[in-house]
Amino acid sequence: MTTPKSTAGFATRAIHVGNEADPSTGAVAPPIFATSTYAQEELGKTKGYDYSRAGNPTRTRLEQNLASLEGGIAAPVFASGMAAVGALCHLMKAGDHIVASDNLYGGVPRLFNQVMANFGLQFTYVDTTDPRNVERAIRKNTRYVYIETPTNPLMGLTDIAAVSAIAHKRGCEVVVDNTFMSPYFQQPIKFGADIVMHSTTKFLNGHSDGLGGVLVCTTKEQAEQLAFVQKAAGAIMSPFECWLVLRGTKTLAVRMKQHDESGRVMADFLRRHRKVKQVFYPGLKSHPQYELACRQMSGFGAMITIETGSLANAKRLLKRVRLCTMGESLGGVETLISHPASMTHAAIGAAGRKAIGLTDGMVRISVGIEDLGDLIADLEQALG
Ligand SMILES: *Cc1c(COP(=O)(O)O)cnc(C)c1O
């Protein structure tokens, strides 16, 4: 079996790139190379691997797979999404500046403000749904513009092409957290992004059974520097976790199709429900950036946030669901339901939540791929 060309379809590449049969045994499933070190034939002579912090064959396979799916040239993987963002920070030096979206996954500003700021990195947060705010915030020392689209949990979108054009004119690189859409529905590199970040913990793994992160690179320089950071700082993904994500991406296309189909129907059901005050979903024509969603995404995905009107209503809904699992995280085959104000966005405080319009009555749903009728029946009884 040969590796498919980069022009092959998404599902073909997802199943085959990095999943070539094992040359020594013919095993169709990639082996998990549970080894720390590698026998050397003589001084200085290896088979390409010398120590698993620097490189591991199972990790190489996953990195090739993810690079292909995002249209990048390399995809160094890390122990978690946050470890990937940490590795990105390791490419900077004291005095460097990042312009970041003011509505990011809560862990990212926590890392930036409470860890990286101590090392002299500087951060400015702006509402990137209007690219002109990015233009105004860029300084001489800005290295990266860091965005997430759609945002968690308000589903605000940032125009990747517009922000990339602005950043490139000023000599900075654009990093896009593409976790919510996965490369199946959104490929930021096509719109000018320089680095694509994922928490592979979510849709790429898809089964809620492992943590990981990736930084998909577009230049040789980024790839070399991040490979060095993997070796030097060591927050790499373990071979077993790599194997889980490789296994996960094989079904990414079919899972995302179902997530999207169910997401659309669920959003429409919630929009019509009298107990639901507002629905945040980029696939609804009422979404203020519906047109941008159609332009830069090929599907709308499974992430839906609803306004129930009060903390008491949100609590009641979360207590009453039976099939939906209440918990952090998203992107698994099972439907997960959460309360952003007290869970994912507790760290930014009440003032921070108010500033981005995140209320105590909001509930976020990651629509899984169970039978849709069962999911709707569960929400119907929980809302009723
Ligand atoms: C979960 C998540 C992260 C952090 O990833 P971990 O794997 O939990 O470290 C970053 N960004 C987004 C959008 C996420 O959902």
Side-chain angles (χ1 to χ4, degrees):
M1 193 215 98
T2 55
T3 309
K5 293 200 180 67
S6 60
T7 50
F10 186 94
T12 304
R13 285 178 290 121
I15 292 167
H16 293 289
V17 177
N19 284 308
E20 298 78 8
D22 173 41
S24 62
T25 62
V28 167
I32 303 170
F33 281 87
T35 188
S36 59
T37 191
Y38 306 81
Q40 305 191 10
E41 286 164 42
E42 57 180 88
L43 260 188
K45 194 163 175 204
T46 68
K47 292 186 162 67
Y49 295 94
D50 55 21
Y51 190 64
S52 276
R53 174 156 31 73
N56 176 284
T58 314
R59 197 168 95 212
T60 303
R61 285 171 172 270
L62 175 63
E63 292 180 345
Q64 288 167 347
N65 183 266
L66 297 180
S68 171
L69 297 185
E70 280 290 2
I73 64 157
V77 293
F78 299 89
S80 67
M82 289 319 305
V85 185
L88 178 80
C89 292
H90 284 150
L91 298 182
M92 298 196 279
K93 56 181 192 319
D96 284 350
H97 177 241
I98 283 192
V99 174
S101 203
D102 64 1
N103 181 10
L104 294 171
Y105 174 78
V108 175
R110 179 170 58 200
L111 173 72
F112 286 171
N113 301 338
Q114 298 182 43
V115 179
M116 294 301 169
N118 297 333
F119 293 87
L121 301 187
Q122 300 167 14
F123 304 95
T124 302
Y125 299 91
V126 296
D127 176 359
T128 58
T129 59
D130 182 352
R132 286 171 302 183
N133 293 329
V134 173
E135 179 125 56
R136 283 190 279 268
I138 291 177
R139 301 186 204 149
K140 270 217 299 285
N141 57 339
T142 305
R143 279 283 304 276
Y144 298 111
V145 175
Y146 187 99
I147 61 175
E148 184 180 318
T149 181
T151 59
N152 177 20
L154 292 155
M155 307 306 291
L157 306 188
T158 292
D159 186 331
I160 302 168
V163 165
S164 299
I166 290 166
H168 293 162
K169 218 167 40 190
R170 304 285 296 275
C172 5
E173 293 194 319
V174 176
V175 183
V176 180
D177 182 335
N178 197 27
T179 301
F180 270 32
M181 279 300 117
S182 92
Y184 188 71
F185 284 134
Q186 176 170 273
Q187 293 173 10
I189 291 170
K190 282 195 184 146
F191 296 95
D194 301 280
I195 295 179
V196 177
M197 180 267 171
H198 279 277
S199 165
T200 65
T201 310
K202 317 295 167 53
F203 290 101
L204 293 176
N205 171 301
H207 298 74
S208 306
D209 55 12
L211 261 77
V214 65
L215 293 171
V216 183
C217 305
T218 56
T219 69
K220 209 165 149 240
E221 194 182 8
Q222 293 162 355
E224 281 168 7
Q225 288 177 350
L226 285 166
F228 180 75
V229 170
Q230 283 184 312
K231 180 163 84 172
I236 43 136
M237 197 188 289
S238 77
F240 179 61
E241 303 283 342
C242 290
W243 182 83
L244 285 174
V245 180
L246 261 177
R247 191 178 203 265
T249 59
K250 285 178 185 168
T251 55
L252 184 64
V254 286
R255 282 189 286 111
M256 291 314 292
K257 274 184 214 161
Q258 188 58 53
H259 278 300
D260 181 65
E261 189 183 316
S262 298
R264 290 176 198 226
V265 178
M266 178 69 84
D268 195 53
F269 158 76
L270 292 165
R271 182 181 63 84
R272 291 157 193 270
H273 201 284
R274 65 197 165 76
K275 293 279 180 68
V276 177
K277 311 277 183 282
Q278 203 180 343
V279 179
F280 300 81
Y281 183 68
L284 290 176
K285 294 212 171 70
S286 58
H287 189 286
Q289 294 165 297
Y290 177 73
E291 186 265 332
L292 174 60
C294 295
R295 198 157 15 106
Q296 76 182 10
M297 292 147 48
S298 56
F300 303 116
M303 301 305 299
I304 304 172
T305 297
I306 59 172
E307 175 57 77
T308 63
S310 69
L311 178 61
N313 288 349
K315 267 193 174 156
R316 201 172 308 124
L317 169 62
L318 291 165
K319 192 159 188 247
R320 283 188 184 170
V321 286
R322 296 192 196 118
L323 181 58
C324 304
T325 305
M326 210 249 282
E328 307 254 5
S329 202
L330 59 108
V333 290
E334 62 287 301
T335 298
L336 288 165
I337 187 163
S338 70
H339 184 242
S342 65
M343 295 165 74
T344 50
H345 288 66
I348 64 169
R353 290 193 294 276
K354 192 160 180 234
I356 60 168
L358 200 168
T359 70
D360 288 347
M362 285 179 181
V363 169
R364 190 191 74 184
I365 305 164
S366 169
V367 182
I369 59 172
E370 300 95 336
D371 287 295
L372 186 56
D374 293 333
L375 290 177
I376 288 183
D378 188 37
L379 284 169
E380 180 80 75
Q381 66 79 23
L383 283 162

